[in-house]
Amino acid sequence: MLVDYYLMRKQNYDITKFNDKTGPYWYGNGINIMAIISWFIGAGSYFVAPNISFVSNTIGSVFFSFLVTCIVYYLLGRGAANKSAASTQNVSV
């Protein structure tokens, strides 16, 4: 949620569109598949982190998995945002 709000949407949510099934926040049938994929990858990284000596000796598994989840969500979301912007430009031309 933090990545979406601060990095991807630049603190610009339209709260009137939150319940709109055709709005920008509804995703696919109300499910944000990018968030679910990011969550699974981040959860998996939690179990891998203790095997990485730098992580286990410094920041720990929880913070590491949090960072992995944020980075994956940002990368997936940025790609989707680029596709969405490109399709919008093609439609308006």
Side-chain angles (χ1 to χ4, degrees), residues 41-61:
I41 292 172
S45 72
Y46 174 80
F47 297 105
V48 173
N51 299 324
I52 304 170
S53 61
F54 170 75
V55 172
S56 62
N57 293 332
T58 57
I59 62 175
S61 298

Side-chain angles (χ1 to χ4, degrees), residues 75-92:
L75 293 175
L76 290 175
R78 189 180 65 179
N82 290 341
K83 287 180 186 177
S84 175
S87 66
T88 304
Q89 289 175 352
N90 291 337
V91 170
S92 63

Side-chain angles (χ1 to χ4, degrees), residues 18 39-40 64 77 83 87:
F18 280 176
W39 183 79
F40 274 112
F64 177 75
K83 287 180 186 177
S87 66

Side-chain angles (χ1 to χ4, degrees), residues 12-34:
N12 189 19
Y13 275 168
D14 182 2
I15 61 171
T16 62
K17 302 284 185 184
F18 280 176
N19 293 325
D20 182 3
K21 290 184 179 183
T22 61
Y25 311 114
W26 195 252
Y27 302 101
N29 294 322
I31 298 172
N32 185 347
I33 194 70
M34 293 180 304

Side-chain angles (χ1 to χ4, degrees), residues 57-68:
N57 293 332
T58 57
I59 62 175
S61 298
V62 172
F63 190 67
F64 177 75
S65 65
F66 176 73
L67 288 175
V68 168

